Amino acid sequence: MRFDIITVLPGLLESPFAHSILQRAQKKGLCEIVVHNLRDYADNKHKSVDDYPYGGGSGMVMQVAPFAACIEKLQAERHYDEIIFMTPDGETLNQSIANHLSTKGNMIILCGHYKGIDQRIRDIYVTRELSIGDYVLSGGELPAAVLVDAVVRLVPGVLSDETSALSDSFQGGLLDAPVYTRPADWRGHKVPDVLLSGNEAAINQWRDEQAIARTKDRRPDLLDE
Ligand code: ADE
């Protein structure tokens, strides 16, 4: 699996990929994450990649040519399964989309800024538009990092315990049951007896019941699905 992320702020993406599970996945060779500075594809000496919107209005719009030059250079090097644009008006990312993308090979992610990107980039190159929620961020970089994290942790071999991604909240359509660790009694707040019982069947039943109760309480919409 390989992600090529195109951005005007490559520095913003350094830290999220240099730690923990994403760092380990790259070190193990299970995924490659390459960040490209869109300004390297600007065709003017000021390295500007945006311009005023046709028809007037506030804000600048990111131009077609720099994105096209970067995408076409990458496409000449390898095949891409998806070209994803992170945008608040895209389809909302969920576990099922993350599962689907975890079966893909190479993907390009475009990060927008300013007022948006020229519609022709979306029409000509983009295969999928994703939002990470109904709120507006300053750019697509943090959403791109969220997407890569959600997808890469599902790639076989990335998590040390293969089953732990399968027991994540949402994975079975339910939220997770509560979890506890030592001490069993903290200031009189006790861990539920069943978890100390050693009775695996009873523990599994308790966890299922808790997951259903929590989902009913917090996200009844998941049960409708
Ligand atoms: N860019 C700005 N806000 C965004 C969001 N909520 N999701 C994806 N990309 C974005």
Side-chain angles (χ1 to χ4, degrees):
M1 172 175 285
R2 174 176 165 132
F3 287 99
D4 287 273
I5 306 177
I6 308 177
T7 169
V8 286
L9 295 173
L12 203 49
L13 287 167
E14 274 166 25
S15 174
F17 302 141
H19 299 277
S20 185
I21 288 168
L22 288 179
Q23 183 193 44
R24 217 174 45 229
Q26 293 171 87
K27 281 193 175 156
K28 280 187 180 171
L30 295 169
C31 84
E32 209 177 333
I33 304 169
V34 186
V35 178
H36 304 270
N37 189 342
L38 183 64
R39 292 193 196 283
D40 293 343
Y41 297 84
D43 56 3
N44 58 82
K45 68 171 187 288
H46 301 293
K47 300 282 176 204
S48 84
V49 292
D50 60 336
D51 210 333
Y52 294 98
Y54 275 122
S58 63
M60 303 291 271
V61 176
M62 296 176 85
Q63 294 172 291
V64 183
F67 272 115
C70 185
I71 293 168
E72 287 174 9
K73 176 177 172 279
L74 291 170
Q75 283 178 321
E77 291 165 359
R78 67 191 66 73
H79 168 78
Y80 285 91
D81 296 318
E82 296 278 0
I83 300 183
I84 301 166
F85 175 45
M86 304 310 298
T87 173
D89 60 10
E91 186 183 1
T92 306
L93 178 63
N94 58 27
Q95 195 61 48
S96 143
I97 296 173
N99 288 344
H100 175 72
L101 293 178
S102 75
T103 65
K104 304 272 180 182
N106 303 322
M107 290 171 264
I108 294 175
I109 305 178
L110 311 182
C111 305
H113 261 264
Y114 317 112
K115 193 75 197 143
I117 67 174
D118 190 303
Q119 181 60 36
R120 289 168 291 187
I121 302 164
R122 301 168 74 161
D123 294 342
I124 298 167
Y125 297 102
V126 169
T127 59
R128 184 149 206 164
E129 302 196 331
L130 292 177
S131 162
I132 62 160
D134 289 343
Y135 42 84
V136 178
L137 298 168
S138 310
E141 287 75 15
L142 299 179
V146 167
L147 174 65
V148 170
D149 188 302
V151 172
V152 168
R153 66 197 304 286
L154 300 171
V155 172
V158 167
L159 296 184
S160 40
D161 177 359
E162 276 273 354
T163 59
S164 71
L166 293 176
S167 67
D168 279 349
S169 272
F170 298 109
Q171 205 53 271
L174 293 176
L175 303 182
D176 261 356
V179 294
Y180 299 86
T181 186
R182 290 188 290 179
D185 183 338
W186 190 74
R187 297 183 180 171
H189 298 274
K190 295 204 171 76
V191 170
D193 286 337
V194 63
L195 296 178
L196 310 176
S197 69
N199 180 340
E200 201 181 328
I203 291 170
N204 287 338
Q205 190 186 337
W206 179 86
R207 286 188 171 144
D208 286 347
E209 287 164 6
Q210 291 289 319
I212 291 167
R214 195 176 255 200
T215 308
K216 255 189 199 152
D217 179 45
R218 299 182 182 189
R219 292 295 305 276
D221 56 299
L222 294 177
L223 294 173
D224 297 340
E225 283 167 25

